[in-house]
Amino acid sequence: MTALENELLEAPFTENEVREAVFSSYAEGAPGPDGFSFLFHQVFWDLIKVDLMNLIGVFEQGDLNLDRLNYAMITLIPKEPEAKVLKKFRPISLINCSFKIFFKLLNNIMVRVADRLVASNQTAFIKGRFILEIVVAAHEIIHEVHKRKQEGVVLKLDYEKAYDRVSWSFLEEMLETRGFGGRWRGWL
């Protein structure tokens, strides 16, 4: 992480950054437990922007009581008409819109450096990279090994539950090693 990148990531959010986060989000998505959607924030932007900026300022300073905002409603959406068994439903979690705004703000500034920090062979979850690229690469490798009549082992790992097992101390150490400032480590 360069000093300039770190300065960019550590800077307080501007009103323009918050406005872009609000207005670039899907307006008609389902509201969370707070009852607000992005549509509300977009329509009433001029009326609520000062209060929203104050909320974000308290969040940035680490003084926001997240327990009062960090809750969600979980609901099941049927994957097909007349679904009757649990596996035919998809769970979704509806979180408060203020949290969605926090995440969008953090995402919008993190994407500025993510491409440089994340290895080029990481093909998912980075703008401009596609998860299916790895499938094509695996196919080409297996084809080449077979064509050369070489022996090999193919190992397929299932990362379905990977995010359930996050090591927060590891993430904090990685942020520190990469040169991220205290603002980011303080949010873990």
Side-chain angles (χ1 to χ4, degrees):
M1 174 86 50
T2 67
L4 182 61
E5 288 170 330
N6 204 30
E7 185 178 315
L8 175 76
L9 294 175
E10 292 283 318
F13 294 113
T14 66
E15 184 179 312
N16 284 338
E17 289 173 317
V18 175
R19 186 182 194 290
E20 200 223 297
V22 168
F23 281 83
S24 67
S25 297
Y26 180 61
E28 296 179 23
D34 59 6
F36 297 114
S37 66
F38 280 104
L39 179 62
F40 171 84
H41 287 81
Q42 292 169 5
V43 169
F44 295 103
W45 173 255
D46 289 329
L47 184 64
I48 65 168
K49 68 182 174 186
V50 171
D51 290 329
L52 185 58
M53 290 304 297
N54 288 335
L55 177 70
I56 289 166
V58 174
F59 170 72
E60 288 180 300
Q61 294 165 8
D63 294 332
L64 185 62
N65 182 354
L66 297 178
D67 292 338
R68 299 198 54 189
L69 294 174
N70 188 17
Y71 56 93
M73 294 185 315
I74 299 174
T75 190
L76 298 173
I77 305 293
K79 293 179 183 177
E80 58 188 50
E82 299 185 40
K84 300 210 186 307
V85 293
L86 196 55
K87 69 180 181 179
K88 299 292 183 180
F89 289 86
R90 179 176 54 92
I92 64 166
S93 179
L94 303 171
I95 64 172
N96 285 320
C97 196
S98 53
F99 256 63
K100 292 179 189 178
I101 294 169
F102 298 156
F103 296 144
K104 184 82 173 189
L105 285 166
L106 296 173
N107 178 71
N108 286 354
I109 60 171
M110 186 56 89
V111 297
R112 298 175 187 172
V113 296
D115 196 48
R116 193 180 67 71
L117 295 176
V118 177
S120 60
N121 62 352
Q122 166 68 43
T123 60
F125 311 114
I126 300 291
K127 190 173 186 170
R129 300 184 193 178
F130 304 98
I131 196 166
L132 290 178
E133 290 175 17
I134 200 67
V135 174
V136 172
H139 181 269
E140 289 176 4
I141 291 167
I142 292 169
H143 177 73
E144 191 64 28
V145 167
H146 179 70
K147 186 172 96 175
R148 293 181 183 191
K149 299 188 186 322
Q150 295 176 325
E151 291 184 7
V153 175
V154 176
L155 176 65
K156 178 191 174 285
L157 300 175
D158 184 358
Y159 291 105
E160 180 181 355
K161 304 257 186 228
Y163 296 106
D164 294 341
R165 293 170 176 79
V166 172
S167 169
W168 296 106
S169 59
F170 171 77
L171 285 178
E172 194 166 296
E173 184 180 323
M174 286 304 301
L175 288 173
E176 187 174 328
T177 302
R178 293 285 187 126
F180 282 76
R183 173 186 196 187
W184 292 88
R185 291 192 307 272
W187 289 337
L188 290 180

